Amino acid sequence: MTSQALPAAREVVDFWREAGPSRWFAKSDAFDAEFLSRFSDAHQAAARGELDHWTDDAEGTLALLVLLDQLPRNAWRNNPHMLATDGLALAVAKKALAAGFDQQFEKELRPFFYLPFMHSEVLAEQERSVELNAALDANTQRFAVLHRDIVARFGRFPHRNRMLGRSSTAEEQKFLDEGGFAG
């Protein structure tokens, strides 16, 4: 049982929409703390499958994707837990696309249906990310191509190696030493 009542899907979406692009991808300890404080219990419930019914509509699905894919990246930066629900997020994203839920939102929010593909270390998912993001702005597409190219080159994201206790190959280490990609 959670310590507080879980939010409605609309509360998650409204919070995310109000945060906006200036806070979505910027590192901010204050924003990360607020995000975690408000939605930690909902994230845990989503991770346990208790919010799977949210995938019945577009708004619930977007809320679930924010909880499974975005909250961990803000709340547990540089900790393996930030990747723990990536598989769940990808499954939700695939179901959402099959239902056309991404098209029910403005272009500004559509990337959150596509980011689980971009976060995958599976090349086919990266190719799908590039395809999906092509309809969005040039900057989003640039990041999709960058992610895809890294996975195509290394078969994974080298910047995750240390966090996940993986050894880097000499080529990966050179890539990282030369600036690589931090994620």
Side-chain angles (χ1 to χ4, degrees):
M1 191 57 122
T2 58
S3 60
Q4 59 185 14
L6 293 178
R10 176 167 298 259
E11 292 174 64
V12 177
V13 172
D14 287 349
F15 171 83
W16 198 244
R17 184 179 271 126
E18 289 167 17
S22 67
R23 298 201 299 174
W24 290 338
F25 302 110
K27 185 178 184 317
S28 165
D29 292 340
F31 177 69
D32 294 351
E34 178 186 4
F35 195 7
L36 182 61
S37 172
R38 289 189 61 182
F39 300 111
S40 176
D41 288 344
H43 165 76
Q44 297 299 332
R48 290 188 301 267
E50 295 169 12
L51 301 179
D52 286 356
H53 63 282
W54 282 12
T55 62
D56 292 344
D57 63 59
E59 183 175 67
T61 299
L62 178 57
L64 201 52
L65 288 168
V66 168
L67 292 174
L68 293 171
D69 191 65
Q70 295 303 299
L71 186 139
R73 285 174 163 71
N74 287 73
W76 298 290
R77 293 178 191 271
N78 302 312
N79 178 306
H81 189 74
M82 74 181 266
L83 308 174
T85 53
D86 279 7
L88 295 172
L90 185 58
V92 169
K94 287 177 179 181
K95 183 177 178 183
L97 295 179
F101 289 163
D102 58 319
Q103 298 302 308
Q104 294 182 33
F105 284 92
E106 60 271 26
K107 279 190 176 184
E108 190 173 68
L109 289 172
R110 285 186 201 158
F112 299 103
F113 287 90
Y114 310 153
L115 279 167
F117 295 91
M118 194 185 300
H119 293 150
S120 173
E121 290 186 322
V122 175
L123 185 56
E125 306 301 0
Q126 288 294 325
E127 295 291 356
R128 183 99 190 265
S129 168
V130 170
E131 175 188 314
L132 291 165
N133 283 292
L136 302 177
D137 63 276
N139 192 50
T140 302
Q141 178 66 352
R142 181 176 66 85
F143 277 103
V145 169
L146 175 64
H147 282 74
R148 189 261 333 262
D149 290 351
I150 292 169
V151 171
R153 179 175 172 188
F154 300 109
R156 61 188 184 176
F157 292 115
H159 66 275
R160 293 180 181 176
N161 289 349
R162 181 175 298 170
M163 177 180 64
L164 295 175
R166 302 187 302 208
S167 297
S168 292
T169 66
E171 184 183 2
E172 288 174 333
Q173 193 57 55
K174 183 176 188 282
F175 173 75
L176 294 170
D177 292 344
E178 293 175 351
F181 179 74

